Amino acid sequence: MQKLSYLLLFLILFSLNAKAQKPEKPTSAEIFEDIQKLNFLGTALYIGAHPDDENTALISYLANQVKARTGYLSLTRGDGGQNLVGPEIRELLGVIRTQELLSARRIDGGEQRFTRANDFGYSKNPEETLEFWEKDKVLSDVVWAIRNFKPDIIINRFDHRSPGTTHGHHTTSAMLSVQAFDLVNDPSKFPEQLKYTTTWQPKREFFNTSWWFYGSQEKFDKADKSNLVALDDGVYYPAFGLSNTEISALSRSQHKSQGFGNTGSRGSQTEYLELLRGDYPANGNLFAGVDTSWNRVKGGRAIGEILSQVENSYDFTDPAASLPALVTAYSLIDQLKDEHWRELKLKEITGIIKACAGLYLEATTSQELATANENIDISIEAINRSNTNMQLKNVVILPLEKSVEMGQNLLNNSDFRQKISINTGNAALTTPYWLNKQGSVGMYNVEDQKLIGLPETPHEFKAIFNIDINGVTIPFKSDLVYKYNDQVKGEVFEPFDIVPPVSAAIDEPVIIFSDSELKKIGVRVTAYKSDLKASVTLKHDDNWQVSPSEQNVSITSKGESTMIYFDVTPPAHQDSNTLIPEVNLDGNVYSKKVIQIDYGYIPLQTLTLPSQSQIVKLNIKKAGDFIGYIAGAGDVIPESLQQIGYQVAVIDPEKITPEYLDQFDAVVMGIRAYNTVDILKYKQQALFDYVQNGGTMVVQYNTARGFNFPNVGPYPLTLSSDRVTDENAQVRILDPSNEILNYPNKITDEDFKGWVQERGLYFPTVWNDAYKPVISINDKGENALDGSLLMAQYGKGHYIYTGLSFFRELPAGVPGAYRLFANLLSVGKSNEKIKG
């Protein structure tokens, strides 16, 4: 794990351009902090539902003030959220948010775990949540996490006793945690796990409460707090030059896709923990009654005595002076019978020994990607920057188990380098393990028990440097990484990944046919081996015609891509199908694509996923042609509209004037635009003037929380948090004659079938009589909501506000959503020629 203050400095100096593969170079002060953690044998586990549910201040406090091993169990990877940094949603967003959490943990000192639960979107109560999550599987994953992490205390982010008062995922996470507390020590519960772990019994369980759960600060001030533990997590760390809350803010700010940039605070801050299980801890010590010294481990007393002396006599000017005692302690830890503490503390002390010696170990390649059975070169570097004698005995390359004998004495500050050639063998493709198999709406499909809950796929290629120090051989592991020099950034480290020899992908995940004309569909073929010669076909349903049936492709250089095109003709009727590019190479068929996610603040992510695109034939008509789009938090609505024949121009908000907007047949506001684009508050009147002069303006949803935009519409309307999470909820027509439902496409019940994740969100609840509600929807057992689609005439034009989740439906190729959106853009154009 990267050390805390080094990371903080790194983040500040290099604008959060995180590359987790960069070698650790801890300072003397950081080494001392790690020695203190080595001497604390207590564990805490914080449990929530989503990546951004965690209390980073409390996690940092437990990890850095208490020195406890601290984990965060997020039941989901946040797949159902929105994305402020790019267009990725669903599973790809889950990959981004996973890495954001890992970045947060590197800052606050915690560790990260997950379950197989998929964040399918907002739910209003646990019953709705568990319609999608398989309760026994998610509960087993929580039990598995506790049995493996073995926490002395568990802290729940949410209250298990208040279903319906918050997101259903939130309450469910707490309910499952409370149930798991009573199951983890029962060998009859989930006995298959005990092949790999042991039962466990936490000492206490808490609920991390606050005034928010009481409704107001005033109510909380009056509440009985006799069962609450209060602690001040606003402490200051001189070793880091930061307060705990400043560290918390840096950690919290890693949730960039959710727009959670946070300003650090200073000064006292009180956290409250309500005791749910176990005895009340004396003097506010969460670990009261738990032996957190080395005495809790059989054979640990001698280790504790040595390490206490190391801590007490630590020389900040010469950390290497601690090496003889640390090596002795290492040998004793290696002999412990307690496998749990042995493995944890061996990892910790190995890192400390490495840091005290100024030992720099590196295993790099000069290529980012490789295929199975490819020959590659590895550059080995080892340097000892202490006066302690040590010898590099050998280097073992995993997973090949290839051992290269070295017998090299590592003298003080004498750099050793050597090249090693290997063959990658039958290496597995790089991809997040939870995406390897098709899951369900609410669950990822992971069958390997040892993988369940891990934050990412274990890195397969490693170098083990076996180094003899004072007669003790210590293995130091280092991931194999790709290293290169950038003219601007300098030395750059990125993951080394395994890909198939060829990738074939259609750039568009959904292709819309708005008429019966054929389209040329491009397939991007990328070679990951030299001199590639292959043939490509498009697997498809018989209702569709593809020509030619097969195309040959020849690519000379590794890493080179080429585009080949197929003519695809849709059926006459409305239909939906998939296109799957298949590449025949040397008698083997490859049907996966390689994609990369690179936003700089998280490590480059390389994924190998099934390659397919949805093709949809729509019976759709439209009026108007040229659409202006004002981007908000990020969506692919413009690309989707282009698919059905619109010309779409993304508008620079600085240019907004009534005269500039007059060229557009309609202007569309991207999702959360008023939440994210400050300049719009000065441009709103120009937009209204455009409408008043005869334009059509379509405004998509904005979040209600903290919303202070004074005039989102030309007439008053008030946003709320109202939403309909059931994508199959009945849609009732309120205004059958409304133009939106009749021109140029007749909207029927069929158009509301096949929607994904939700109907919509953040509907207005109060509006001026000038707005006409068009439809009414609600979740089961709730009152009707009429604010999902409002239209008002303003001057000569029309203003439309909609909370319907078009940003999810159009990328998913939902036919009815396209037809309805085309009608929105066609409002006021009944005298124009209809296209389609």
Side-chain angles (χ1 to χ4, degrees):
M1 185 177 68
Q2 289 184 336
K3 302 303 184 288
L4 183 58
S5 59
Y6 167 70
L7 256 176
L8 295 174
L9 180 62
F10 178 75
L11 292 172
I12 293 168
L13 293 179
F14 296 96
S15 304
L16 301 175
N17 187 16
K19 298 295 180 187
Q21 290 72 34
K22 193 161 187 172
E24 302 166 8
K25 301 174 183 177
T27 66
S28 178
E30 293 169 316
I31 296 170
F32 183 69
E33 294 294 316
D34 287 340
I35 290 172
Q36 290 183 310
K37 290 182 181 181
L38 182 64
N39 277 332
F40 190 92
L41 279 70
T43 306
L45 182 63
Y46 199 89
I47 298 179
H50 307 109
D52 52 30
D53 289 341
E54 92 279 51
N55 183 339
T56 54
L58 188 51
I59 290 173
S60 178
Y61 175 84
L62 291 167
N64 298 298
Q65 177 68 13
V66 180
K67 310 298 183 188
R69 183 190 184 210
T70 306
Y72 175 47
L73 174 62
S74 175
L75 267 62
T76 75
R77 296 176 185 268
D79 327 78
Q82 284 87 47
N83 186 358
L84 290 181
V85 300
E88 294 87 358
I89 57 176
R90 298 298 304 151
E91 285 76 12
L92 294 185
L93 176 58
V95 172
I96 292 173
R97 297 189 72 183
T98 294
Q99 291 301 318
E100 289 177 339
L101 267 182
L102 289 172
S103 180
R105 296 295 80 80
R106 286 191 288 269
I107 290 172
D108 59 37
E111 299 179 36
Q112 189 59 49
R113 294 292 185 275
F114 294 95
T115 74
R116 288 172 290 179
N118 192 328
D119 179 8
F120 56 84
Y122 193 89
S123 70
K124 295 181 177 179
N125 53 65
E127 290 75 18
E128 183 177 296
T129 297
L130 293 174
E131 288 178 9
F132 295 92
W133 290 357
E134 296 178 45
K135 179 181 177 180
D136 284 347
K137 286 186 178 180
V138 182
L139 178 59
S140 76
D141 290 356
V142 177
V143 169
W144 171 250
I146 296 172
R147 284 175 172 174
N148 277 293
F149 208 72
K150 299 193 182 329
D152 299 299
I153 62 171
I154 292 175
I155 304 173
N156 296 333
R157 186 67 182 101
F158 300 103
D159 185 5
H160 66 289
R161 300 156 298 193
S162 54
T165 60
T166 182
H167 197 321
H169 296 181
H170 292 168
T171 310
T172 304
S173 72
M175 292 169 62
L176 294 177
S177 174
V178 169
Q179 291 179 48
F181 187 92
D182 296 329
L183 299 178
V184 291
N185 202 31
D186 185 345
S188 70
K189 306 301 183 185
F190 309 110
E192 69 282 356
Q193 298 178 1
L194 301 181
K195 298 176 185 176
Y196 312 104
T197 189
T198 59
T199 57
W200 179 251
Q201 186 55 60
K203 179 75 171 175
R204 297 182 181 91
E205 184 168 31
F206 299 94
F207 159 45
N208 185 193
T209 191
S210 70
W211 69 264
W212 189 88
F213 292 96
Y214 287 75
S216 69
Q217 185 67 51
E218 181 181 5
K219 291 181 180 178
F220 183 62
D221 290 341
K222 296 177 180 179
D224 178 12
K225 299 184 179 64
S226 59
N227 197 39
L228 305 187
V229 177
L231 55 88
D232 182 357
D233 63 4
V235 296
Y236 174 69
Y237 302 121
F240 305 144
L242 293 167
S243 69
N244 188 69
T245 45
E246 287 174 309
I247 292 173
S248 168
L250 287 169
S251 175
R252 187 74 171 161
S253 296
Q254 297 313 294
H255 296 289
K256 298 184 185 304
S257 68
Q258 307 306 295
F260 279 173
N262 199 285
T263 300
S265 63
R266 288 145 293 281
S268 179
Q269 174 177 287
T270 304
E271 291 285 350
Y272 292 94
L273 303 178
E274 178 187 351
L275 182 67
L276 301 178
R277 294 283 196 279
D279 60 324
Y280 188 86
N283 303 318
N285 176 12
L286 302 182
F287 288 90
V290 178
D291 188 349
T292 58
S293 75
W294 276 97
N295 293 334
R296 79 179 295 176
V297 182
K298 185 177 180 181
R301 181 179 296 276
I303 299 169
E305 291 173 353
I306 294 171
L307 293 178
S308 292
Q309 181 60 32
V310 169
E311 184 176 340
N312 293 332
S313 62
Y314 181 74
D315 185 347
F316 285 84
T317 65
D318 183 18
S322 300
L323 283 173
L326 287 169
V327 171
T328 300
Y330 173 91
S331 296
L332 294 176
I333 295 172
D334 194 33
Q335 296 170 24
L336 290 176
K337 300 298 183 184
D338 188 318
E339 183 178 351
H340 174 73
W341 286 113
R342 184 180 71 239
E343 296 305 315
L344 287 176
K345 293 304 179 179
L346 277 178
K347 182 178 180 181
E348 289 181 29
I349 197 169
T350 299
I352 292 169
I353 291 171
K354 180 171 176 280
C356 284
L359 188 58
Y360 182 88
L361 305 171
E362 181 183 281
T364 63
T365 73
S366 59
Q367 61 186 74
E368 174 188 357
L369 304 172
T371 63
N373 298 306
E374 180 176 349
N375 295 321
I376 65 170
D377 290 331
I378 299 175
S379 296
I380 296 294
E381 180 180 3
I383 183 169
N384 164 29
R385 288 170 287 189
S386 74
N387 288 318
T388 301
N389 293 327
M390 56 184 72
Q391 184 186 68
L392 175 59
K393 298 173 67 175
N394 58 47
V395 175
V396 179
I397 304 299
L398 300 179
L400 309 173
E401 300 292 345
K402 177 176 180 177
S403 179
V404 180
E405 296 302 315
M406 298 291 178
Q408 177 68 39
N409 291 324
L410 299 179
L411 305 178
N412 187 4
N413 213 30
S414 179
D415 200 15
F416 170 73
R417 297 171 185 263
Q418 184 168 318
K419 294 278 189 182
I420 296 176
S421 296
I422 67 166
N423 184 283
T424 55
N426 190 28
L429 298 176
T430 297
T431 205
Y433 69 86
W434 60 95
L435 299 181
N436 274 329
K437 294 184 178 180
Q438 182 69 37
S440 63
V441 171
M443 295 293 297
Y444 283 118
N445 183 1
V446 182
E447 296 177 353
D448 187 340
Q449 184 68 54
K450 297 186 295 298
L451 287 175
I452 292 173
L454 295 181
E456 53 188 344
T457 306
H459 199 282
E460 192 174 19
F461 280 86
K462 299 178 183 293
I464 301 177
F465 295 77
N466 287 307
I467 298 178
D468 183 287
I469 305 176
N470 293 345
V472 177
T473 299
I474 302 176
F476 296 90
K477 288 185 180 180
S478 177
D479 284 347
L480 182 60
V481 297
Y482 166 53
K483 174 183 170 180
Y484 66 97
N485 184 73
D486 182 273
Q487 288 184 329
V488 175
K489 300 175 184 177
E491 188 178 55
V492 177
F493 294 84
E494 289 183 346
F496 169 73
D497 293 315
I498 301 296
V499 294
V502 63
S503 164
I506 299 171
D507 289 342
E508 300 83 13
V510 177
I511 302 171
I512 304 297
F513 291 75
S514 57
D515 53 38
S516 296
E517 296 297 317
L518 68 81
K519 284 190 175 185
K520 287 191 175 296
I521 305 300
V523 177
R524 186 181 306 276
V525 182
T526 303
Y528 294 105
K529 58 173 290 186
S530 300
D531 299 321
L532 181 138
K533 298 183 185 299
S535 61
V536 183
T537 60
L538 277 182
K539 187 177 179 180
H540 62 284
D541 187 88
D542 290 340
N543 291 335
W544 296 70
Q545 297 179 22
V546 175
S547 178
S549 60
E550 180 179 281
Q551 292 199 61
N552 293 326
V553 61
S554 178
I555 302 176
T556 303
S557 301
K558 178 180 178 179
E560 182 183 353
S561 296
T562 189
M563 291 289 291
I564 57 175
Y565 294 88
F566 292 85
D567 292 336
V568 178
T569 305
H573 57 277
Q574 187 162 294
D575 190 43
S576 178
N577 203 253
T578 56
L579 287 179
I580 302 175
E582 294 186 335
V583 182
N584 190 308
L585 174 64
D586 299 329
N588 297 310
V589 176
Y590 297 89
S591 59
K592 292 190 175 183
K593 61 183 176 182
V594 176
I595 62 175
Q596 292 187 314
I597 301 173
D598 188 8
Y599 285 110
Y601 71 97
I602 59 174
L604 173 69
Q605 298 296 295
T606 299
L607 299 83
T608 303
L609 300 174
S611 182
Q612 63 180 42
S613 291
Q614 186 179 2
I615 45 176
V616 180
K617 166 63 191 311
L618 292 180
N619 292 328
I620 190 171
K621 300 175 182 178
K622 61 187 182 66
D625 182 61
F626 194 27
I627 307 300
Y629 201 86
I630 301 170
D635 57 56
V636 293
I637 299 290
E639 294 86 342
S640 299
L641 297 179
Q642 288 170 341
Q643 293 245 28
I644 57 174
Y646 284 106
Q647 298 180 58
V648 182
V650 176
I651 297 173
D652 179 354
E654 294 277 0
K655 295 182 178 180
I656 293 176
T657 64
E659 295 75 22
Y660 176 78
L661 297 177
D662 189 56
Q663 63 183 306
F664 299 111
D665 295 312
V667 172
V668 180
M669 198 71 69
I671 62 171
R672 298 170 68 180
Y674 292 122
N675 296 124
T676 58
V677 185
D678 289 340
I679 195 175
L680 289 178
K681 67 180 67 173
Y682 308 113
K683 299 294 184 178
Q684 190 74 329
Q685 188 56 52
L687 287 159
F688 291 161
D689 290 346
Y690 160 76
V691 177
Q692 192 170 37
N693 293 335
T696 297
M697 180 179 177
V698 179
V699 178
Q700 298 180 86
Y701 90 94
N702 289 268
T703 56
R705 184 176 59 185
F707 190 78
N708 57 5
F709 202 88
N711 55 340
V712 66
Y715 309 105
L717 62 81
T718 303
L719 303 185
S720 76
S721 296
D722 287 350
R723 61 204 301 162
V724 175
T725 61
D726 182 358
E727 62 269 31
N728 299 309
Q730 181 185 2
V731 177
R732 298 175 296 278
I733 305 299
L734 296 177
D735 186 4
S737 62
N738 194 292
E739 185 178 358
I740 287 176
L741 299 176
N742 294 280
Y743 179 82
N745 302 289
K746 178 67 176 178
I747 302 301
T748 69
D749 289 343
E750 286 296 314
D751 292 298
F752 292 101
K753 293 181 178 179
W755 285 46
V756 299
Q757 187 159 330
E758 60 197 356
R759 287 294 190 197
L761 61 171
Y762 297 107
F763 300 159
T765 50
V766 179
W767 53 84
N768 185 277
D769 289 343
Y771 296 102
K772 304 302 178 186
V774 179
I775 60 176
S776 177
I777 47 180
N778 57 270
D779 281 318
K780 183 179 179 180
E782 297 187 358
N783 295 328
L785 301 176
D786 299 344
S788 64
L789 183 55
L790 304 174
M791 184 176 76
Q793 185 160 354
Y794 182 66
K796 299 177 183 179
H798 298 83
Y799 173 93
I800 299 167
Y801 188 95
T802 179
L804 294 173
S805 58
F806 288 108
F807 75 103
R808 296 195 188 281
E809 311 312 321
L810 299 192
V814 177
Y818 274 93
R819 287 163 47 84
L820 180 55
F821 207 95
N823 281 15
L824 301 186
L825 300 177
S826 302
V827 165
K829 301 175 179 61
S830 57
N831 294 326
E832 297 183 13
K833 182 180 179 181
I834 298 175
K835 298 179 181 179

